[in-house]
Amino acid sequence: SRFETCWPALMKDSHGVIIIFNPELPSHLKEIEMWYSCFVQQQPLLDSQCLLVAHHKPGSAGDTENLSLAYPLNKLKLIHSNLEEDPEDVRMEFIKYFRSIIAIINESREREEMSIIS
């Protein structure tokens, strides 16, 4: 893609990656593997620092709710967002995700401080 040259700048010092995709597009299912590889594995970030969001458009077929992703994507936290039906659920999942990222940042900061002291 024409934005690939910008990726290193986007990735620099990032603590988390949220990948949003349309589960009804087979091309998206291929692309999220590439995004995961570039933005999570190569950084490297922990799988817990990545959140997958399968976004369902209004009036879309609901049978993608039981979406099964192949390894390594099946190790990631996956949420389904449908803002028509359940925006509150999505909001709660985002809050949980951000809290976990903050916990990871605090832990690594404490480790750094301890290594400076010792």
Side-chain angles (χ1 to χ4, degrees):
S1 98
R2 58 206 159 128
F3 298 117
E4 275 181 50
T5 50
C6 308
W7 289 0
L10 284 174
M11 291 190 247
K12 188 182 181 315
D13 299 331
S14 63
H15 295 289
V17 175
I18 298 174
I19 300 172
I20 301 172
F21 65 100
N22 181 342
E24 290 168 50
L25 294 181
S27 64
H28 272 206
L29 299 179
K30 273 266 138 294
E31 277 173 38
I32 55 177
E33 287 179 26
M34 188 246 337
W35 291 113
Y36 171 73
S37 166
C38 292
F39 281 83
V40 181
Q41 287 179 312
Q42 289 173 33
Q43 283 221 71
L45 290 177
L46 301 169
D47 285 340
S48 57
Q49 286 168 279
C50 182
L51 177 65
L52 290 180
V53 181
H55 184 64
H56 300 267
K57 288 182 168 162
S60 65
D63 60 351
T64 48
E65 283 285 332
N66 47 21
L67 184 67
S68 59
L69 296 171
Y71 180 87
L73 298 172
N74 61 5
K75 302 181 299 172
L76 305 174
K77 171 85 175 146
L78 168 69
I79 65 170
H80 290 269
S81 75
N82 182 331
L83 300 180
E84 265 187 333
E85 286 171 26
D86 221 338
E88 191 52 32
D89 250 19
V90 177
R91 203 173 73 86
M92 291 313 296
E93 288 294 348
F94 268 101
I95 289 169
K96 266 194 277 187
Y97 170 71
F98 287 125
R99 283 195 181 131
S100 72
I101 295 294
I102 290 164
I104 289 167
I105 294 168
N106 287 340
E107 273 172 37
S108 68
R109 190 172 293 149
E110 280 168 25
R111 268 200 308 274
E112 274 172 37
E113 285 168 5
M114 290 311 288
S115 68
I116 292 166
I117 293 165
S118 55

